[in-house]
Amino acid sequence: MAISCIFALIDFTMKAAFYSIAILWLLGISCTNVTEEATVPAQKVVDSTSLYGNRQFTLPEIQPQYADYLSEWSVWGDFTREMKTLNMQPLPVVKSRAEVLVKHTDSLLQKIPPQVFTNPIFTRLRVVTMRAKLLHQEAHRPRIDSLALQKSIDEINRAAENLMVQINEKFAKDAIDKSQADSEQRELAKQQRFSDSVFRAELRDKEGS
């Protein structure tokens, strides 16, 4: 009887130890999973309805009297349309606009018409091209940084605005130079007519004497 009790006690003790080890093992796995879940960084969820850009931005217009000078510049009209519709758009639209702007600015930079080309305009266009590529990069990141994307749009807005201002200034200067040249030409023609009239008068005086 005593022996049976001893064996029963031993059996109970071993089972209790086994169950205790099993419980501790399960608790260890559970704690590990909780720790791992806590250390996984939360993915930033981007609201596809959020709008990016500047509501107040307006792309300067090329003065109507200079528009013909740009008619031969490939995709110029497409570029300006994309810039005018870039602001206050959701992320999918910004991505699409950025892709198109990269293509258009590369195309514009490759062939600038002679009537448009100046070193300042070339430099401004290079800045716009660079800003378009940076915007494309920001808009296509796996995890969108909203502040960086907004800043990138502001920068391409400013670059495009500077380009338009530079083009208008170039055409305005050309118009002033042409007006001055025309005035000089008219003055020279006037002086020539005066000289001719004096010469003819002197010639008549000589013939009369």
Side-chain angles (χ1 to χ4, degrees):
M1 182 70 178
I3 294 175
S4 297
C5 291
I6 292 172
F7 279 117
L9 181 59
I10 292 173
D11 181 61
F12 174 78
T13 303
M14 291 180 65
K15 287 181 179 179
F18 172 78
Y19 287 128
S20 297
I21 293 172
I23 291 172
L24 290 173
W25 181 73
L26 291 173
L27 288 173
I29 291 177
S30 176
C31 290
T32 300
N33 289 338
V34 170
T35 302
E36 289 178 352
E37 290 176 0
T39 57
V40 173
Q43 292 295 318
K44 186 176 182 180
V45 178
V46 177
D47 185 358
S48 61
T49 62
S50 297
L51 303 181
Y52 297 91
N54 183 353
R55 189 183 300 276
Q56 305 301 322
F57 175 74
T58 302
L59 186 69
E61 296 286 347
I62 296 297
Q63 296 299 315
Q65 62 269 33
Y66 309 139
D68 289 343
Y69 292 104
L70 299 170
S71 60
E72 297 180 4
W73 202 358
S74 172
V75 304
W76 171 259
D78 296 330
F79 162 72
T80 55
R81 280 191 293 272
E82 292 297 327
M83 280 302 310
K84 290 176 181 177
T85 57
L86 172 63
N87 288 267
M88 302 313 297
Q89 299 291 351
L91 180 60
V93 177
V94 173
K95 286 183 176 181
S96 176
R97 296 279 189 273
E99 290 177 0
V100 176
L101 283 170
V102 168
K103 295 177 182 177
H104 287 346
T105 53
D106 280 341
S107 179
L108 291 173
L109 193 60
Q110 288 174 7
K111 189 176 181 181
I112 303 177
Q115 65 269 27
V116 179
F117 183 87
T118 64
N119 286 330
I121 288 176
F122 177 73
T123 300
R124 299 291 189 216
L125 183 55
R126 285 187 62 185
V127 173
V128 175
T129 303
M130 180 186 68
R131 294 304 182 192
K133 292 177 179 177
L134 290 175
L135 173 60
H136 182 275
Q137 178 180 314
E138 288 296 339
H140 287 80
R141 289 188 183 279
R143 297 181 62 194
I144 297 298
D145 184 332
S146 297
L147 293 178
L149 181 58
Q150 179 64 49
K151 180 180 178 182
S152 188
I153 295 176
D154 290 339
E155 288 175 343
I156 194 172
N157 285 344
R158 187 160 49 252
E161 182 178 14
N162 290 338
L163 173 64
M164 302 294 277
V165 170
Q166 190 68 55
I167 291 174
N168 273 324
E169 288 180 353
K170 189 267 182 189
F171 288 149
K173 182 178 182 302
D174 287 349
I176 293 173
D177 291 345
K178 185 177 184 303
S179 176
Q180 290 177 344
D182 291 344
S183 296
E184 291 173 358
Q185 189 65 34
R186 288 193 296 270
E187 183 61 28
L188 288 174
K190 181 180 178 181
Q191 293 176 3
Q192 184 63 47
R193 288 194 298 272
F194 178 75
S195 297
D196 291 344
S197 64
V198 171
F199 174 77
R200 286 193 294 271
E202 292 177 347
L203 184 60
R204 284 194 299 269
D205 290 343
K206 290 180 179 179
E207 289 175 350
S209 61

